[in-house]
Amino acid sequence: MEKVKSECIYCGVGCRLNYVAEKGEIIRVEPVKDDDVSEGFPCLRGLTINEVIRKNRIIKPLIRETKEEDFKEASWDEAYWFIFNHLKDLEGNEVLFIPSGKTSNENAYVMQKFARAVLKSNNVDGCCSRLCHANTISALNMVFGINGSPGRIEEADTRDLILVIGSNPASNYPVIFSRIVRAKAKGTKLIGVNSPLNETSRFCDINVQVKPDTQLVFINGLINELIRKGVPEDRKSIQGFEQLAEAVSEYTPERVSKICGIEKELFEKVVETVYSSKAFGIMHGMGLTQSRNGFLNVVSLLNLLILKGGVLLSGRGEINVQGMGDVGGVPPGFLPSLVSRDRLEEAWGVELSEEAGLNMIQALYLNPVKAVFACDVNLALSLPDLESLHKKLKEMFIVLLHHHFNYTVNFANVVLPIAMLIEGNGTITNWERRIRLVRKVVEPPGEAKQAWIIFKELSKYFGCEKLFPYSDEKEISREIVELVPAYRNVNVEEVYSGEDGWGAKKPVFTRYVPVHYEGVDYPVSKKYPYIMVAVRTPLLFLHNELTSLSETLMNANRKDIEACYMNPEDLKREGFSDGETIILSSPCGSLKVRVKADATVISGTIKMYIHSEKTPVNRLVPLNYTFNTFTPNYKSVAVGVRKDAS
Ligand code: SF4
């Protein structure tokens, strides 16, 4: 029996875990007592990884010419030729690459290098980043000049007040939330601003249920009142203060109360509490970012952060979503995390395309490409307007690199088996930009390989193998440190000895950027009178592809993830009975679901979980996104309800 210290495979908190392995199999997962991140208390998802790692695995390359055919098993050589023959005549801009936040920095880096240097495609766009926190990164870049969070996890311990807005850390970031609960026992106050209420709400001293997509009004109103009550001189001298004060002056408590649908007295209580705070913290999530106003929402939140001199504690979704973006998993022109094109050409010794790359919304819906390389993602469930997406995916040549069979396999022409994160060596970067070593715990099953090895091998078929001279992950890490400015000070040797490294975190500048509420964009009508809010539940992760394989997690989960939830009054008015099957519809699709009464849901809204493949909530989400980052609006979708006549 051996014990290997490595990383969790799930969320962006990035806990270290001890994997106990015997005869090549993980038999148990244990906490790492001295882990700075988890403090020896990782969550149940991490501790049950042994239950999911070997089930439902892809163990051989699979190919098929058309989507109607069954897959046939292929050798790696056959699969590579198959890919080469389908891609050799395409232009670079006709191919999209989707790297993953679930694999290592080294895998993501090599994938984007293959895209840019071999196929001359700048269409590189990480799935989790685009769909979740592209607005956060973009706003941080505008306000602080950095592409990562300036906050650190231990700062949660020293806050006297934490504003949790559009986020449910009790469910999504249990390790950060444990620190918050501990701080609360010592007097830290918690304000929750969410719609609907969630698992975090019952820990909050003040709960504010704002109407969906009105948080910007709430934040601007808060800033306005804080300025009116008095701001320390050093915060007033920061660039943009006068403009901010003028811009927020129209967000009076009366207006906040009206637009957000909250009592004025409740808002004033929040103002008083925030004003009195001496050590302020903010935690935000997708309730703020996955909206047409997502970018403006986060900019406004950062204005509040600067005004209060607070710290940002917001986590990120997948274990390496921060690192994947850092090492080039985004189109150039959008947060150029790598060095300039000239420097890349010099370092790699090839000419690169000058074209601005497309992001995944552009490349899949607006200006569809002909081929897609998708690594460790379930894009056929994750994206909006699934019906139209599926039609488009059927017309594209799709290469899916994955470790488990998932829904997206149905749309692939080629499926290549890859190793999971802990079946290879490398590094990840957590939400704090803390760079951590991933140690191989067990060998991948069957013929699965690390993604970087697959791209290295495939490059030979394009005559470009010289671009990938690596014999191990450490050599790739060295190249990353050379070419990613934010990682310039990282000591690769230290990271590979198990010490955490740090990417750049210090703001390059600090400025207020005034932003205005531009109204909501859900056309509620007689036909679609409700606003659907998509949420997550504790224990389950993303679309539940992996967590559904854990008996422990599925037994512990108490939520019906295939139902939708309505306020009891709405349920009664519609004439539905609790548990009845109804039809939910939106302008782009419909779903048959059970409806359940839930008093925590605001009247006029409907809550639905994102996790089930059987009730894919994104079938109802139209293609509607933040104007500059293309992050879809998943959180406020106009829907109609009717009885199921069948
Ligand atoms: Fe894994 Fe996130 Fe849980 Fe930590 S908090 S054990 S990283 S899922």
Side-chain angles (χ1 to χ4, degrees):
M1 208 149 53
E2 61 167 341
K3 208 181 257 193
V4 184
K5 205 184 272 187
S6 191
E7 275 294 298
C8 180
I9 60 170
Y10 290 119
C11 90
V13 171
C15 300
R16 222 164 237 159
L17 296 170
N18 271 323
Y19 292 90
V20 182
E22 194 173 46
K23 296 187 188 141
E25 299 298 330
I26 301 171
I27 55 168
R28 202 166 59 242
V29 185
E30 295 174 351
V32 171
K33 292 273 180 295
D34 60 355
D35 176 21
D36 290 343
V37 170
S38 71
E39 297 183 302
F41 295 98
C43 79
L44 195 56
R45 289 185 297 220
L47 295 173
T48 50
I49 290 171
N50 56 311
E51 296 178 28
V52 310
I53 189 163
R54 289 303 201 213
K55 293 176 192 157
N56 201 25
R57 291 296 296 264
I58 303 166
I59 53 169
K60 274 191 85 72
L62 304 170
I63 57 174
R64 61 178 174 182
E65 196 61 54
T66 69
K67 313 278 161 104
E68 288 70 42
E69 291 168 32
D70 289 336
F71 281 109
K72 65 170 189 174
E73 288 187 356
S75 67
W76 280 100
D77 183 51
E78 269 177 290
Y80 290 145
W81 276 120
F82 190 72
I83 296 169
F84 172 77
N85 285 327
H86 278 85
L87 296 186
K88 66 181 190 318
D89 298 324
L90 294 186
E91 298 289 328
N93 61 10
E94 293 175 317
V95 189
L96 167 69
F97 286 79
I98 306 178
S100 170
K102 299 189 205 87
T103 65
S104 66
N105 286 322
E106 291 65 29
N107 284 321
Y109 175 81
V110 171
M111 181 174 185
Q112 65 82 36
K113 183 173 179 180
F114 181 91
R116 296 180 210 282
V118 177
L119 290 192
K120 314 290 182 196
S121 172
N122 283 331
N123 305 336
V124 182
D125 199 23
C127 193
C128 177
S129 171
R130 175 71 46 210
L131 304 185
C132 300
H133 274 291
N135 281 321
T136 301
I137 298 300
S138 206
L140 283 166
N141 200 38
M142 173 171 266
V143 172
F144 294 125
I146 50 170
N147 300 340
S149 175
R152 287 176 73 141
I153 192 166
E154 67 263 24
E155 289 175 304
D157 302 347
T158 53
R159 302 298 92 200
D160 65 7
L161 174 66
I162 299 173
L163 174 71
V164 180
I165 182 162
S167 177
N168 185 6
S171 165
N172 301 336
Y173 304 111
V175 161
I176 305 181
F177 194 65
S178 299
R179 285 181 183 260
I180 293 176
V181 170
R182 193 175 59 200
K184 223 178 126 33
K186 292 187 195 150
T188 299
K189 295 230 168 342
L190 214 54
I191 300 176
V193 182
N194 280 299
S195 46
L197 299 179
N198 56 36
E199 287 76 12
T200 304
S201 307
R202 72 187 172 91
F203 294 88
C204 291
D205 300 277
I206 305 175
N207 272 305
V208 187
Q209 264 187 294
V210 295
K211 284 190 192 159
D213 221 355
T214 62
Q215 295 96 330
L216 175 52
V217 176
F218 181 87
I219 302 164
N220 271 0
L222 189 50
I223 295 172
N224 182 33
E225 285 301 285
L226 294 174
I227 292 177
R228 206 179 53 74
K229 287 168 87 65
V231 175
E233 285 307 314
D234 62 330
R235 313 275 156 69
K236 282 188 186 170
S237 60
I238 293 169
Q239 185 192 339
F241 178 77
E242 297 301 329
Q243 294 87 335
L244 177 73
E246 196 187 326
V248 296
S249 62
E250 62 191 70
Y251 296 83
T252 60
E254 291 73 24
R255 192 161 171 234
V256 172
S257 164
K258 190 164 168 227
I259 297 178
C260 300
I262 56 172
E263 296 292 324
K264 196 165 146 239
E265 293 68 33
L266 180 64
F267 177 65
E268 281 162 357
K269 193 172 164 195
V270 172
V271 171
E272 272 313 314
T273 313
V274 175
Y275 180 70
S276 324
S277 167
K278 301 274 180 288
F280 184 57
I282 287 180
M283 206 170 174
H284 78 290
M286 267 92 82
L288 209 67
T289 61
Q290 289 178 331
S291 145
R292 269 190 70 92
N293 294 321
F295 172 72
L296 303 178
N297 287 345
V298 184
V299 171
S300 125
L301 194 70
L302 297 180
N303 287 334
L304 174 65
L305 188 84
I306 299 168
L307 195 74
K308 282 299 298 175
V311 301
L312 193 64
L313 300 164
S314 308
R316 296 198 66 189
E318 293 177 344
I319 180 97
N320 193 37
V321 60
Q322 178 67 44
M324 180 269 296
D326 286 343
V327 302
V330 287
F334 177 79
L335 306 177
S337 48
L338 294 169
V339 288
S340 68
R341 189 170 60 84
D342 288 353
R343 174 74 183 95
L344 278 187
E345 286 185 338
E346 185 197 320
W348 292 348
V350 286
E351 226 174 89
L352 301 175
S353 165
E354 287 181 32
E355 274 186 60
L358 300 174
N359 64 50
M360 60 190 300
I361 299 296
Q362 294 168 316
L364 292 172
Y365 297 87
L366 310 180
N367 187 7
V369 293
K370 295 195 172 143
V372 178
F373 272 83
C375 181
D376 209 341
V377 293
N378 200 357
L379 75 154
L381 277 184
S382 309
L383 284 144
D385 193 0
L386 291 184
E387 207 173 305
S388 102
L389 174 76
H390 291 170
K391 276 190 203 137
K392 290 182 179 4
L393 292 180
K394 279 182 189 156
E395 287 162 14
M396 296 169 177
F397 179 76
I398 301 206
V399 182
L400 178 69
L401 292 85
H402 215 287
H403 36 79
H404 281 75
F405 285 97
N406 70 9
Y407 188 66
T408 304
V409 169
N410 297 316
F411 299 87
N413 296 84
V414 182
V415 180
L416 302 178
I418 56 167
M420 292 187 73
L421 183 71
I422 52 172
E423 291 167 346
N425 297 309
T427 63
I428 59 98
T429 308
N430 82 344
W431 71 273
E432 306 165 279
R433 245 185 188 167
R434 184 193 291 259
I435 299 163
R436 313 198 98 181
L437 177 66
V438 178
R439 290 190 179 91
K440 186 198 274 190
V441 179
V442 286
E443 291 295 333
E447 296 182 21
K449 301 179 186 192
Q450 288 252 65
W452 73 263
I453 295 176
I454 295 174
F455 284 109
K456 175 183 157 112
E457 290 176 352
L458 184 57
S459 70
K460 284 186 203 145
Y461 295 72
F462 290 85
C464 296
E465 66 268 38
K466 283 203 182 111
L467 283 166
F468 303 91
Y470 324 112
S471 52
D472 62 20
E473 296 79 7
K474 204 198 255 189
E475 290 178 13
I476 307 169
S477 309
R478 286 199 194 101
E479 190 169 311
I480 290 173
V481 167
E482 216 177 285
L483 294 173
V484 175
Y487 288 16
R488 199 157 280 151
N489 295 326
V490 175
N491 184 321
V492 173
E493 293 307 320
E494 281 175 11
V495 171
Y496 273 78
S497 74
E499 248 179 70
D500 289 346
W502 288 92
K505 289 182 67 67
K506 214 166 153 253
V508 177
F509 50 77
T510 299
R511 62 182 179 196
Y512 297 109
V513 180
V515 286
H516 275 293
Y517 177 63
E518 296 184 347
V520 290
D521 200 48
Y522 42 83
V524 183
S525 60
K526 223 170 166 190
K527 195 168 174 198
Y528 305 114
Y530 290 93
I531 301 302
M532 185 188 70
V533 184
V535 299
R536 293 146 196 252
T537 181
L539 304 174
L540 309 185
F541 194 66
L542 303 180
H543 297 293
N544 204 16
E545 302 92 341
L546 290 183
T547 41
S548 66
L549 301 174
S550 159
E551 263 180 48
T552 308
L553 292 177
M554 291 309 283
N555 288 338
N557 172 49
R558 297 271 168 259
K559 309 281 183 193
D560 181 350
I561 56 169
E562 284 160 18
C564 72
Y565 296 81
M566 287 178 91
N567 183 281
E569 290 299 317
D570 292 342
L571 197 80
K572 204 164 133 199
R573 199 181 49 252
E574 295 290 347
F576 299 148
S577 48
D578 198 18
E580 173 179 356
T581 299
I582 63 162
I583 309 285
L584 274 185
S585 61
S586 81
C588 70
S590 62
L591 268 186
K592 209 186 251 203
V593 287
R594 274 187 299 281
V595 62
K596 293 196 164 175
D598 184 341
T600 68
V601 177
I602 309 177
S603 176
T605 66
I606 291 177
K607 177 175 89 173
M608 243 196 110
Y609 291 104
I610 67 159
H611 305 294
S612 175
E613 190 179 303
K614 288 191 196 145
T615 51
V617 64
N618 291 338
R619 194 173 282 286
L620 300 172
V621 178
L623 184 62
N624 187 2
Y625 42 81
T626 312
F627 67 97
N628 56 342
T629 62
F630 292 77
T631 294
N633 169 21
Y634 290 109
K635 293 292 181 185
S636 44
V637 174
V639 293
V641 293
R642 65 175 192 272
K643 283 198 174 262
D644 177 22
S646 61

